[in-house]
Amino acid sequence: MSELLINATTTQRPRILVVEDDTTIRTFCQRLLQMTYDVTTAENGAVAVNLLHSHSFDLVLTDMQMPLMDGMQLLQHIRQNHPEIDVVMLTAFATVETARQALKMGALDYLSKPIEAEQLERTVRTSLELRRIRQEKERLSDLVFMYQFSQMIATSLDIETQVDQIVEFLWQRFAPEALALSMHMTDTGKLHLLAMRSAAGWGDLGTINLPAECSDQQLLAAHMRLAGGPGTNDESLFAGTLLRSHDTPIGYLHMARRSEQPHFDASERRLIGIFATQIATSLDNARLYQALKDQNRQTIEALTEAIEARDAYTYGHSRQVTRYAIRLAQELDLPPERIELIDYAGLLHDVGKIGIRDYVLLKPGALSDEEFDVMKRHPGIGVKIIERVRGLRATLPIIEYHHERVDGKGYPRGLKSEEIPLEARILAIADSFEAMTSDRAYRPAMEPERALRILIEGRGTHWDPELVDRFVDIIRREGERLKVSTKPLRQKAMPIEQMAPPVGEVRDVRD
């Protein structure tokens, strides 16, 4: 099915369809009205249906009693298939019940026979003026919708969030039976079905290979294969449009309605086209932003690995700390932007070790007081390095304070309790647990349960008590699932009885 964006044709004069089986009345209406309007006539409802299918009209005047298809049947057809057209009934049976039934079915007004010229002109003029006012209100409403839509999708650069917002907005605005949205990821050579929703619920998503340089028809065909087809064989119940960015097709959006629903009219198709432009720009920006974020994270990971490569014992430490910290942040229901900060800060929290001499960093035994003072400089060194990167400056307090203690005996500032940023308190627990449960040159790894006991004994002094409780629960539930890939083999560490400090003196100064 080809793209169905139809531009509405405009005429200088309103178009009126007169449906009347009485030749005299039909001719009278045509001659009276054609001086001001473009008038077309039909002798019954069946002929009118064909005309409505092939021509656009602003107003229909229809007799109540006609052969083949009477006025009530024609009114029902118009309300179902051409809801934008107003209808005025002509009847010789102008009872209250007849009028009530016609108005209830959606007629705008009715005229009693015999029809007076002045009354006919006044009713047509009033009907068209009401139509004009309604259209102006609809245009204003569409402007409001477009503004709301643009504001909504501008609040996030996350593709999944945007897709959820887009689908929900379009579902509420156009009430389709089915909706599908796809996006072409040129870097992977695949078309991704981002969303597929029907009245029955959400459908399965998938991908299909699609070359970076593809035609509109190739993209459309791939989209339809992923979506399982257009959902209707009636083109009037289908509205679809290519998503373009910089004149390049990047996806496709389509909606379909049930046979008993109104057809997509020209104004709806125009509006869908406008929304499609906004959707394409927004999704493409989100894709580029995500690609940039992925590139930044890969750079950070590479920097982290380069630093950790100085010591085989700490290889992978930052990734594991980050995994623990993010899981604890998720347990606390922190918003995505704060979890993202923890992600970056976790990977970078030991970047300052680049400024620590090997004889301190890699010493196999306990540190002297002087060496300990040297080691305590690494958070500050890390801050000096990262503060030059504008996009990472929000991570600085987390990096700087991840060795603070809630009792004020940590470093470098001796902050207490909630003076320490929440993210830094989270990272401190993750950092300590990972350090205790991993081999080091100066001691072998502890059993996880022993490390958890140390955390519990240090709640309220070393670490935030509520965060410790949450973390202990997480590790006991999912500890094995949170492990990152196996670290490289290391030389044998000193016995823990010789090198591990007593429970109350855990310092972890090299982690």
Side-chain angles (χ1 to χ4, degrees):
M1 183 177 291
S2 61
E3 183 179 1
L4 298 176
L5 282 178
I6 304 171
N7 293 323
T9 57
T10 57
T11 57
Q12 293 182 346
R13 304 201 307 174
R15 291 179 56 85
I16 297 175
L17 174 61
V18 177
V19 189
E20 170 63 66
D21 62 325
D22 187 310
T23 304
T24 301
I25 298 176
R26 187 170 68 243
T27 302
F28 166 74
C29 291
Q30 182 180 26
R31 289 179 177 176
L32 179 64
L33 297 174
Q34 68 184 5
M35 291 184 292
T36 309
Y37 312 108
D38 287 343
V39 181
T40 302
T41 62
E43 59 270 26
N44 58 58
V47 175
V49 166
N50 292 329
L51 289 170
L52 287 166
H53 182 71
S54 57
H55 298 78
S56 62
F57 295 97
D58 301 296
L59 179 66
V60 173
L61 305 177
T62 179
D63 187 20
M64 188 79 73
Q65 299 292 328
M66 295 180 294
L68 299 181
M69 177 184 282
D70 64 26
M72 285 297 193
Q73 292 173 317
L74 177 60
L75 173 61
Q76 185 176 11
H77 173 84
I78 292 173
R79 291 280 62 81
Q80 181 174 334
N81 299 283
H82 309 281
E84 74 282 3
I85 300 177
D86 291 319
V87 180
V88 173
M89 309 299 292
L90 310 177
T91 178
F93 307 97
T95 65
V96 173
E97 184 58 35
T98 303
R100 182 182 299 165
Q101 184 181 2
L103 296 174
K104 185 176 180 180
M105 291 180 61
L108 184 64
D109 203 348
Y110 71 95
L111 287 170
S112 301
K113 296 179 181 179
I115 299 173
E116 298 179 359
E118 183 179 350
Q119 184 183 24
L120 175 61
E121 289 180 321
R122 183 172 60 251
T123 299
V124 169
R125 187 168 58 250
T126 300
S127 299
L128 292 173
E129 178 62 16
L130 288 173
R131 174 183 172 81
R132 186 192 66 78
I133 293 172
R134 186 179 69 249
Q135 289 178 331
E136 287 299 321
K137 290 176 64 177
E138 289 174 352
R139 274 192 283 269
L140 178 60
S141 176
D142 287 344
L143 288 174
V144 172
F145 271 117
M146 284 187 285
Y147 174 76
Q148 291 174 336
F149 185 70
S150 62
Q151 291 294 105
M152 176 194 68
I153 61 177
T155 59
S156 173
L157 282 171
D158 177 71
I159 290 180
E160 289 186 9
T161 301
Q162 285 193 357
V163 169
D164 288 343
Q165 293 173 333
I166 289 167
V167 172
E168 186 61 30
F169 188 93
L170 296 178
W171 197 264
Q172 295 296 326
R173 175 61 181 82
F174 296 101
E177 167 71 9
L179 180 152
L181 174 65
S182 63
M183 186 174 183
H184 188 196
M185 304 296 187
T186 54
D187 53 340
T188 62
K190 292 183 181 295
L191 182 72
H192 290 250
L193 189 61
L194 300 180
M196 186 165 67
R197 182 176 178 181
S198 69
W202 295 90
D204 295 332
L205 306 182
T207 62
I208 191 170
N209 291 331
L210 191 65
E213 299 293 332
C214 68
S215 67
D216 294 358
Q217 289 302 319
Q218 284 177 310
L219 194 150
L220 173 58
H223 169 91
M224 287 304 175
R225 285 198 296 273
L226 281 173
T232 178
N233 293 323
D234 187 342
E235 292 195 357
S236 64
L237 294 171
F238 176 90
T241 177
L242 283 164
L243 306 180
R244 293 185 179 277
S245 179
H246 305 292
D247 203 33
T248 300
I250 66 164
Y252 196 83
L253 165 70
H254 89 252
M255 291 180 283
R257 286 175 172 164
R258 300 185 304 275
S259 58
E260 62 269 22
Q261 287 183 290
H263 296 173
F264 287 100
D265 59 32
S267 63
E268 286 184 311
R269 295 182 187 280
R270 285 198 307 272
L271 191 58
I272 291 169
I274 294 171
F275 285 156
T277 301
Q278 295 176 305
I279 291 169
T281 301
S282 182
L283 288 179
D284 201 32
N285 287 341
R287 179 185 63 81
L288 293 173
Y289 176 72
Q290 186 61 50
L292 181 61
K293 281 180 60 178
D294 291 344
Q295 186 179 47
N296 287 343
R297 197 179 194 283
Q298 291 165 6
T299 302
I300 291 170
E301 288 178 341
L303 174 62
T304 300
E305 290 192 7
I307 295 167
E308 292 180 348
R310 294 175 64 193
D311 179 8
Y313 284 96
T314 60
Y315 183 82
H317 165 74
S318 294
R319 283 183 296 159
Q320 185 64 72
V321 168
T322 301
R323 178 78 65 86
Y324 287 145
I326 286 176
R327 184 64 191 89
L328 179 53
Q330 292 170 339
E331 187 77 5
L332 297 171
D333 289 327
L334 293 189
E337 59 272 16
R338 296 183 71 177
I339 293 177
E340 184 177 70
L341 276 183
I342 292 173
D343 182 21
Y344 289 146
L347 292 172
L348 292 168
H349 76 282
D350 277 342
V351 70
K353 287 181 180 178
I354 198 171
I356 304 300
R357 297 291 182 88
D358 284 352
Y359 80 88
V360 175
L361 187 65
L362 306 180
K363 183 178 179 181
L367 299 180
S368 67
D369 289 342
E370 292 77 12
E371 291 166 340
F372 181 39
D373 288 339
V374 171
M375 196 66 206
K376 288 194 295 185
R377 296 174 190 166
H378 80 271
I381 296 172
V383 167
K384 289 294 184 182
I385 294 171
I386 301 303
E387 67 183 359
R388 302 177 187 179
V389 184
R390 180 175 300 177
L392 295 173
R393 287 176 184 170
T395 65
L396 296 182
I398 311 174
I399 294 171
E400 184 172 10
Y401 303 136
H402 75 276
H403 278 295
E404 298 287 359
R405 291 173 33 157
V406 295
D407 61 3
K409 296 181 180 179
Y411 64 88
R413 300 290 181 84
L415 301 181
K416 294 182 180 180
S417 189
E418 294 190 3
E419 293 175 349
I420 309 168
L422 174 61
E423 291 85 352
R425 283 178 272 151
I426 290 172
L427 194 62
I429 294 172
D431 189 29
S432 297
F433 180 76
E434 203 288 325
M436 289 187 283
T437 54
S438 297
D439 287 331
R440 292 292 183 263
Y442 49 90
R443 56 143 178 83
M446 295 181 189
E447 288 297 323
E449 194 57 38
R450 181 178 178 185
L452 292 179
R453 287 199 304 270
I454 292 174
L455 290 179
I456 293 169
E457 291 174 14
R459 61 190 302 281
T461 54
H462 286 70
W463 304 286
D464 184 304
E466 180 183 351
L467 298 184
V468 167
D469 293 343
R470 293 287 192 97
F471 186 78
V472 170
D473 288 343
I474 291 171
I475 296 301
R476 286 177 173 164
R477 288 196 319 261
E478 355 175 333
E480 286 302 316
R481 296 200 300 273
L482 294 176
K483 292 286 185 66
V484 296
S485 57
T486 305
K487 300 176 184 179
L489 294 174
R490 305 160 177 147
Q491 63 186 13
K492 187 176 180 181
M494 288 189 178
I496 194 167
E497 292 78 9
Q498 296 180 21
M499 301 310 305
V503 169
E505 300 178 12
V506 175
R507 298 199 297 187
D508 298 323
V509 294
R510 280 173 277 186
D511 297 296

